[in-house]
């Protein structure tokens, strides 16, 4: 994967809406291999840091402890990225996608319990190419092909 293949969107792919407040914080989303990354940048600040973390709004309360245990085990960075420049952040993500470390972290992420009362979209539209769209389940627990 190349950094140019990563498409950032201002629309939350899980809810279909733009973030409520964008004041002094730019929030974008990238859907890579079934994992939605939230890319943030605090503009108009002294920190030029760009960061990317997995989308966490749809997780069950017990999932945070399980994810912290995964990070504490030292089995990779756990789908968390940071860099000073946007271009370098996207390059860092592109180099990691598809590696053994990415697959291990993605499988651990997909096995976390989702909140069954979460009111996001049930499916999200994904584009594979020109005029090629399909719907993927927003909840991997209901997905028979990519489930935990």
């Amino acid at each position: 994967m190349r950094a140019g293949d990563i498409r950032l969107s201002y629309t939350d792919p899980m809810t279909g809406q733009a973030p409520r407040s964008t004041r002094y914080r730019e929030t974008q989303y990238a859907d890579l291999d079934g994992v939605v990354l939230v890319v943030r940048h605090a503009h108009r600040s002294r920190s030029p840091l760009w960061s990317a973390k997995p989308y966490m709004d749809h997780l069950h309360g017990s999932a945070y402890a399980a994810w912290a245990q995964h990070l504490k085990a030292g089995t990779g960075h756990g789908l968390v990225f940071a860099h000073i420049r946007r271009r370098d952040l996207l390059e860092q993500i592109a180099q990691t996608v598809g590696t053994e470390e990415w697959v291990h972290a993605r499988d651990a992420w997909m096995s976390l319990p989702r909140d069954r009362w979460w009111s996001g979209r049930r499916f999200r539209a994904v584009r594979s190419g020109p005029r090629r769209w399909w719907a993927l389940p927003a909840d991997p627990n209901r997905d028979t092909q990519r489930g935990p």
Side-chain angles (χ1 to χ4, degrees), residues 37 52-54 56 59 62-81 101-102 104-109 111-112:
L37 294 177
K53 296 180 182 178
M56 301 183 92
L59 294 179
S62 65
Y64 296 102
W67 187 243
Q69 286 294 340
H70 170 74
L71 293 176
K72 187 178 178 183
T75 56
H77 53 74
L79 307 177
V80 177
F81 304 94
E101 181 182 359
W102 171 269
H104 179 68
R106 187 199 61 199
D107 291 344
W109 179 254
S111 68
L112 294 176

Side-chain angles (χ1 to χ4, degrees), residues 7-140:
R7 300 285 176 231
L8 296 178
S9 170
Y10 287 101
T11 304
D12 183 342
M14 301 295 272
T15 62
Q17 300 174 355
R20 281 189 237 163
S21 173
T22 58
R23 186 176 181 173
Y24 302 113
R25 181 177 62 193
E26 184 177 333
T27 303
Q28 296 175 338
Y29 303 90
D31 189 353
L32 302 169
D33 199 18
V35 177
V36 177
L37 294 177
V38 180
V39 179
R40 289 199 169 108
H41 172 64
H43 59 279
R44 296 186 185 173
S45 72
R46 294 181 184 199
S47 172
L49 183 67
W50 285 79
S51 66
K53 296 180 182 178
Y55 187 90
M56 301 183 92
D57 292 349
H58 65 308
L59 294 179
H60 188 269
S62 65
Y64 296 102
W67 187 243
Q69 286 294 340
H70 170 74
L71 293 176
K72 187 178 178 183
T75 56
H77 53 74
L79 307 177
V80 177
F81 304 94
H83 213 286
I84 294 177
R85 291 192 170 89
R86 177 181 181 263
R87 179 188 67 230
D88 295 333
L89 174 73
L90 296 179
E91 186 65 36
Q92 182 184 20
I93 294 170
Q95 289 176 357
T96 306
V97 172
T99 63
E100 184 179 331
E101 181 182 359
W102 171 269
V103 171
H104 179 68
R106 187 199 61 199
D107 291 344
W109 179 254
M110 293 298 220
S111 68
L112 294 176
R114 275 30 179 185
D115 184 7
R116 57 187 278 203
W117 303 113
W118 186 70
S119 62
R121 284 187 172 177
R122 204 169 154 198
F123 293 93
R124 63 181 189 266
V126 178
R127 180 178 179 215
S128 66
R131 299 182 193 170
R132 292 177 52 200
W133 296 83
W134 73 94
L136 285 179
D139 184 1

